[in-house]
Amino acid sequence: MKKKGLNRTACIVFILFSLLTIFFTTSPTMAFNVTLAWDAVDGDINGYQVFARESGQSYNFSDPVWQGTAATCTIDDLEDQTDYYFVVRAYTDSTTSSSSNEVFYPADDTDSSDSGVLASKFAETTLTSGIEYYTDRSYQLTSVTSFYDDMEAIITPNDDRNRTDASGYLTFTMPYDGTVYVAYDSRATSLPNWMDGFIDTGDVIETSLSTQPYLNIYSRVYEQGDIVNLGANKATGFVGDTVSNYIVFYSDGSGGVSDNTDETTSADSSLAGSFEESSVATRAYLYTDRSYYITGGIPDWMIGRTLIQTPNDERYNSASSGYINFTNTVDWWVYVLFDSRSASIPNWLEDWELRSDYRIYTSLSTQPYLKVYRKMFDAGEIVDLGGNYGPGSSDETRSNYVVVYGK
């Protein structure tokens, strides 16, 4: 016989409405309490049970933290700087309802936000392929680009993915002059406002989470001693549906394991007069002596960066080095956009990374697209590039390459 009222328990509204002054304490050992309330269930029930869990844990439905007949309760002796989650269930002598919607009580991170101390719910590790990138999940990073490999990383609880703190969610003190990177779920259609100062690098990290295509990497420069103060995953400005939490990593600007140590050459760093500089954009001219222009395929992060236009009449240059020389302005990638008609590239381009996920399209009908190659250079380092038909390249007809650099 169905007990009256049990069919309504799925409609419990469970609202966290009163928080005490724990936000003003700075002691990680002090206890606090929260008051919970929910809409009473009509019908023949014995009472209610409240269950709690910490971030990364599961509910123990055999051990309620409170039980009674009122539609409100106070949970005492909770620990500061710990995330708590709560659900309520109605019960009779023989039956228990399903859980209400879950409510979240965030850890008090006021002290760490002000001091730049990393909260204990985060974990520090080394960024590399194969690591688990959340403190409460077994998902792994499956593809980390060599530039980021071995950087210092901060992994987060994925249970925090729906938090909305505008700031103070994750804070730490930058140990040196360098760059902080945020790897953010690519399923988001708009980023939270606290990321406005970050630049889209165009790089990604692939993961083992099948519903997550990849993490997009964003960067921002900080000085030694700066407090890095980051908001939560779904803070104001975020647009999207299901996304996992972000992770953070940082370095002194030379990457995790730099391949560019002592590579500065003694070549002349002045850009020759036959080249001109412009900005990357749709309809930007590629060459100084032709009207061919970019028609599409430019990634958002490349728009506005410096474009070195070359003379297409010099496309047959066969120098092994010294064709283009210039001084790099920032610790960052330099890109070579090379004609896709080439069966093999010159030797000087061999140690550059091909970004096969990008194709830059042009108005030249015989040119399918430009391939995107990149290499990391230090600020002040001389970039020394060979000719379009340098040793090692194939000899089919193709147009000259162009260069993109800067942030």
Side-chain angles (χ1 to χ4, degrees), residues 122-188:
F122 305 112
E124 296 180 273
T125 187
T126 300
L127 188 73
T128 193
S129 296
I131 66 165
E132 295 179 358
Y133 61 105
Y134 295 119
T135 59
D136 55 358
R137 300 292 194 276
S138 59
Y139 309 140
Q140 295 181 338
L141 302 180
T142 58
S143 178
V144 175
T145 302
S146 59
F147 173 70
Y148 302 103
D149 199 48
D150 284 343
M151 284 190 181
E152 298 174 85
I154 299 171
I155 59 176
T156 58
N158 200 32
D159 274 351
D160 282 356
R161 62 191 177 277
N162 293 321
R163 286 186 59 154
T164 59
D165 315 48
S167 65
Y169 167 65
L170 189 159
T171 65
F172 66 98
T173 301
M174 190 66 177
Y176 37 66
D177 293 345
T179 304
V180 173
Y181 301 89
V182 171
Y184 199 93
D185 197 315
S186 61
R187 290 173 289 182

Side-chain angles (χ1 to χ4, degrees), residues 3-231:
K3 296 290 185 181
K4 180 180 179 183
L6 284 181
N7 61 331
R8 300 190 59 186
T9 57
C11 297
I12 293 173
V13 178
F14 188 29
I15 304 172
L16 181 63
F17 71 89
S18 178
L19 304 180
L20 301 187
T21 57
I22 188 64
F23 286 113
F24 299 100
T25 185
T26 59
S27 170
T29 61
M30 289 188 65
F32 67 98
N33 54 35
V34 295
T35 300
L36 310 171
W38 54 93
D39 287 349
V41 175
D42 294 334
D44 184 15
I45 65 169
N46 290 6
Y48 305 96
Q49 294 176 326
V50 174
F51 300 91
R53 69 177 180 90
E54 297 179 16
S55 181
Q57 297 180 350
S58 300
Y59 288 107
N60 181 358
F61 289 115
S62 64
D63 185 21
V65 296
W66 179 90
Q67 182 169 308
T69 58
T72 184
C73 71
T74 298
I75 310 298
D76 298 313
D77 298 326
L78 298 173
E79 294 183 2
D80 187 20
Q81 294 194 351
T82 301
D83 290 334
Y84 286 98
Y85 299 79
F86 301 93
V87 294
V88 65
R89 290 181 169 188
Y91 71 94
T92 68
D93 290 335
S94 59
T95 309
T96 302
S97 75
S98 58
S99 298
S100 68
N101 56 294
E102 184 178 59
V103 292
F104 168 60
Y105 184 89
D108 175 15
D109 293 330
T110 305
D111 58 329
S112 62
S113 174
D114 293 339
S115 66
V117 175
L118 187 67
S120 59
K121 66 179 176 179
F122 305 112
E124 296 180 273
T125 187
T126 300
L127 188 73
T128 193
S129 296
I131 66 165
E132 295 179 358
Y133 61 105
Y134 295 119
T135 59
D136 55 358
R137 300 292 194 276
S138 59
Y139 309 140
Q140 295 181 338
L141 302 180
T142 58
S143 178
V144 175
T145 302
S146 59
F147 173 70
Y148 302 103
D149 199 48
D150 284 343
M151 284 190 181
E152 298 174 85
I154 299 171
I155 59 176
T156 58
N158 200 32
D159 274 351
D160 282 356
R161 62 191 177 277
N162 293 321
R163 286 186 59 154
T164 59
D165 315 48
S167 65
Y169 167 65
L170 189 159
T171 65
F172 66 98
T173 301
M174 190 66 177
Y176 37 66
D177 293 345
T179 304
V180 173
Y181 301 89
V182 171
Y184 199 93
D185 197 315
S186 61
R187 290 173 289 182
T189 56
S190 182
L191 300 174
N193 294 341
W194 60 264
M195 288 190 65
D196 285 349
F198 283 77
I199 298 171
D200 186 350
T201 67
D203 296 329
V204 302
I205 296 179
E206 297 176 354
T207 77
S208 65
L209 178 55
S210 60
T211 57
Q212 180 185 70
Y214 46 82
L215 301 172
N216 289 319
I217 301 177
Y218 302 85
S219 70
R220 184 174 182 177
V221 174
Y222 288 85
E223 295 181 356
Q224 182 178 9
D226 283 350
I227 294 178
V228 180
N229 187 336
L230 308 180

